[in-house]
Amino acid sequence: MTFAAARWRVPGRADRRAAGSGLPGQPAARCHAELRMFRWRLFGHYDGMPLQHGAYVPNALLGRLVGFRLYSVEFVMDYVQLRFDGPTDDMPVLNCDVFPVVETPTSLIAPGQVGYADALRAFIPGHVVATVEETGRGLRIEFDEGAICLHPKVDEVLGPEIALLSGFRDGRCMCWRPGEESFEDLV
């Protein structure tokens, strides 16, 4: 099976949400296992590290964004993509299935508030100066003029994933989910 053929078998975001966290007609656990194998076959690893490595280290992958420039904010149906470029050949992309909060020096701007999209786009072409990933705070990407913060409330998580960071040449990626790494408090 080619990648393109496999791609069409993965359900759309709306399908996953309509069926809970599983594929239509399949239990969520089976869906999770199938997606895990799909990612392993495609990338040679699952969730931020090759399978032969040890425990996940918070902020190790997210911290690789430091020095990168945010060059694109794309609103795609029910999620947002943040695209970065920088000093290496990596082209990281952070897919946020839960919309992040924008922190400016004067306020917090939540999704749905007037000016939200403009506030998020205002970080372009800013460079990432620091990142934080920890339980109770979620993900935080800091710029000179503010930060993009991703720590939703339980009722804001509509699907099985909160965010996915990918686009590194070494194939590393990380998928954050409620109840797992850095979001253990969301259960």
Side-chain angles (χ1 to χ4, degrees), residues 19-23 26-35:
S21 61
L23 292 169
Q26 295 182 352
R30 181 173 174 204
C31 176
H32 182 70
E34 287 177 3
L35 286 174

Side-chain angles (χ1 to χ4, degrees), residues 35-138:
L35 286 174
R36 187 178 191 122
M37 278 311 289
F38 174 77
R39 287 182 180 138
W40 184 80
R41 279 191 219 121
L42 183 63
F43 300 115
H45 58 83
Y46 180 73
D47 285 354
M49 65 193 67
L51 293 176
Q52 69 271 17
H53 286 252
Y56 177 73
V57 178
N59 208 40
L61 190 65
L62 189 67
R64 290 169 66 176
L65 292 178
V66 173
F68 277 76
R69 174 183 66 156
L70 178 66
Y71 77 89
S72 174
V73 173
E74 298 175 42
F75 293 90
V76 185
M77 299 277 292
D78 58 350
Y79 66 101
V80 65
Q81 287 186 335
L82 307 176
R83 295 181 176 271
F84 300 86
D85 64 4
T88 68
D89 290 337
D90 295 325
M91 296 295 288
V93 177
L94 181 64
N95 289 324
C96 302
D97 290 321
V98 177
F99 282 66
V101 171
V102 176
E103 184 180 302
T104 68
T106 58
S107 65
L108 291 177
I109 305 170
Q113 288 184 318
V114 173
Y116 174 76
D118 291 333
L120 199 53
R121 287 192 310 259
F123 289 116
I124 298 171
H127 287 79
V128 177
V129 296
T131 60
V132 176
E133 177 188 349
E134 63 184 47
T135 302
R137 292 183 69 188

